[in-house]
């Protein structure tokens, strides 16, 4: 696996495939491609197998997106390691992120990597859904997608 800075084409392809568009809305702000740093993971044949995006402002890094093609292969961990290192080099001392209440895999993944639950925002997805109506009301397992959970880690 190779981790390297992502091209604009990689970033847009990843966001379109996994996040249903060319922008991401977090509880803190709306991000376009020009406002984030990005790393892509590639397999031996050069195919993109994962993408992480993040932004840094005033010593705080926000994870904007993380996706991988296969779980439990080390890709997510390698991408997060790269993002955290780069965020530190850009002056960040903390990394924050938000995930939805139904994303149990993400809650497990981030806590195993030193992130702490920081806040619960009840019914916060409704506000984000107004800006990005492509967010579904329920996930494939039938869980409602309604709350946001903030996690954070000291870098």
């Amino acid at each position: 696996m190779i981790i390297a800075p992502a091209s604009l084409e990689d970033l847009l392809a990843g966001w379109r495939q996994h996040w249903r568009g060319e922008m991401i809305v977090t509880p803190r702000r709306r991000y376009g491609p020009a406002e984030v740093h990005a790393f892509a993971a590639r397999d031996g044949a050069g195919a993109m197998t994962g993408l992480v995006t993040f932004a840094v402002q005033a010593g705080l890094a926000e994870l904007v997106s993380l996706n991988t093609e296969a779980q439990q292969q080390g890709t997510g961990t390698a991408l997060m390691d790269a993002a955290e290192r780069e965020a530190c080099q850009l002056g960040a001392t903390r990394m924050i992120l938000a995930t939805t209440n139904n994303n149990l895999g993400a809650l497990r993944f981030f806590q195993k990597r030193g992130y702490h639950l920081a806040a619960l925002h009840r019914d916060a997805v409704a506000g984000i859904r107004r800006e990005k109506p492509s967010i579904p009301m329920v996930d494939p397992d039938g869980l409602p997608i309604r709350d946001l959970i903030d996690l954070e880690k000291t870098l």
Side-chain angles (χ1 to χ4, degrees), residues 19-20 25 100 125 128-138 145:
W19 303 103
R20 302 174 188 232
V25 180
T100 52
V125 177
I128 293 173
R129 200 176 274 120
R130 283 191 288 277
E131 284 192 61
K132 193 169 180 182
S134 61
I135 299 171
M137 298 297 288
V138 296
I145 302 171

Side-chain angles (χ1 to χ4, degrees), residues 12 29 32-33 38-39 44 51 75 80 82 91 101 111 139 141 152:
L12 289 172
R29 64 174 289 193
F39 286 96
L51 177 74
T75 307
M80 284 304 300
N101 59 283
Q111 288 179 81
D139 73 7
D141 292 326
E152 70 176 51

Side-chain angles (χ1 to χ4, degrees), residues 52-118:
V52 65
T53 63
F54 62 98
V56 177
Q57 186 175 23
L60 180 65
E62 181 174 14
L63 180 69
V64 176
S65 70
L66 173 65
N67 59 276
T68 63
E69 297 303 317
Q71 294 183 7
Q72 299 186 347
Q73 303 295 313
T75 307
T77 297
L79 287 166
M80 284 304 300
D81 289 347
E84 289 173 359
R85 274 193 308 274
E86 180 74 8
C88 285
Q89 291 176 356
L90 295 170
T93 58
R94 287 186 310 135
M95 176 81 79
I96 60 172
L97 65 102
T99 192
T100 52
N101 59 283
N102 67 307
N103 198 342
L104 305 177
L107 290 167
R108 184 175 22 263
F109 174 85
F110 288 110
Q111 288 179 81
K112 284 174 71 174
R113 283 150 188 83
Y115 285 78
H116 294 268
L117 300 177

Side-chain angles (χ1 to χ4, degrees), residues 10 18 28 30 35 37 40 52 59 71 83 92-93 105 118 132 136 142 148 152:
D10 286 339
H18 295 279
R28 284 157 277 289
R30 180 183 189 150
E35 299 164 303
H37 303 272
V52 65
Q71 294 183 7
T93 58
K132 193 169 180 182
L148 287 175
E152 70 176 51

